[in-house]
Amino acid sequence: MNNTWYQINNIEDIISPSLLVYPERIEQNILKMIDIAGGTEFLRPHIKTYKMAEIIQLQLKHGIHQFKCATIAEAELLAESGAQDVLLAMQPVGANIDRFFKLVKAYPTIQFSTLVDNQQTITEMNTAAIKNKTITSLLLDINNGMNRTGVWPGDTALELYKLMSASSNIQAKGLHVYDGHIRTTDFNERKKECDAAFDLVIQLKNTIESFDLKIDTIVAGGTPCFPIHSTREGITVSPGTPLLWDQGYTNLFPDLTFLPAAVLLSRIISKPNTDLLCLDLGHKSVASEMQFPRVRFLNVENYTQIGHSEEHLVLKCDNTDAYQIGDVTYSIPYHICPTVSKYKEVLTVESGIAVGTYKVIARDHRINI
């Protein structure tokens, strides 16, 4: 592998900080994701990581037509980009219920669905569907240990699925199961945890079907567990991070050999002491919700990240004499998803040249609808 793949040659006019993406690497990651899933028909990738039309279109090019998203804006971006089947994987409440039905009306040829996990929202979605003279497709959101959203796969889940199926303007499509809490590094141990957590989901599926209720699909797994779910029959997987990848997942999951395809470009703006470097890579430019380190530098050696504020990142460095004010640095963020959202646009790099931009269209919560 070219160990300077990230460098760009036309650096003079590039502002810092900037986020660079590498379409050739993204495309390689798409192909690897399809291969792991066993085909495009088993994939419903999440777009929350990148929120860009061009990356959606790269997936469409390779036959992926069903997608998952977290916001109405992301759903609208998918519709505008030509996706055929869009799952809004955030239960709509309040004004977002009306926005969801506006979206359905605006794009009548696209199959939209969303999630519910309680009786109140099922009733509200059915009432809104009646008002809008349409049938809405819903999946029951299952909590199998993430403890963030969803209903535990037991008696309450069964009763909610029955309610969905009996509602006049709801089509009960199946189950949604996100197990992002399973992050064990060792693949075999991760598989054991994933299988154990999913057993209750399989039991729920069997119970629901014993009442002659139909489950068309089960959407399961984030990035860490999607290779495990891909081995199950009738499961659609929904990874999100593989297309851009990041350092956090590189460290945690060595079995997932996706290529880093997003790099932060920054510059050294000060050397405030003999062992310190200060870069223009603050909280506003890179995800900072985790402990240090926030990035892995590709062209800085022997450093420790010791300070981070809105505009500045301070490194303690053993060899500061090797670096000058204005030197360009390249780094891979530990968490790419919230990093992308900090940029209105990213620079695209091909063969060592920054050749264009992709707009991060769905970084805000509203586009038009």
Side-chain angles (χ1 to χ4, degrees), residues 5-6 18-20 22 247 260 262-266 279 281 286 294-300 303 305 313 328-334 336 339:
W5 59 269
Y6 52 86
S18 288
L19 183 60
L20 316 175
Y22 302 75
Q247 193 59 42
V263 172
L264 289 161
L265 181 150
S266 56
L279 284 66
L281 194 64
V286 61
R294 275 76 188 267
V295 297
R296 179 176 76 85
F297 285 96
L298 299 170
N299 65 329
V300 180
Y303 63 86
Q305 296 166 49
L313 176 64
V328 172
T329 68
Y330 299 90
S331 59
I332 300 174
Y334 269 74
I336 186 60
T339 297

Side-chain angles (χ1 to χ4, degrees), residues 298-334:
L298 299 170
N299 65 329
V300 180
E301 298 178 347
N302 303 317
Y303 63 86
T304 303
Q305 296 166 49
I306 63 168
H308 205 193
S309 53
E310 290 186 27
E311 309 291 352
H312 306 86
L313 176 64
V314 179
L315 309 181
K316 185 172 183 179
C317 186
D318 295 339
N319 56 336
T320 56
D321 289 343
Y323 305 100
Q324 303 299 319
I325 304 297
D327 280 356
V328 172
T329 68
Y330 299 90
S331 59
I332 300 174
Y334 269 74

Side-chain angles (χ1 to χ4, degrees), residues 113 156 176:
S113 55
T156 300
H176 172 268

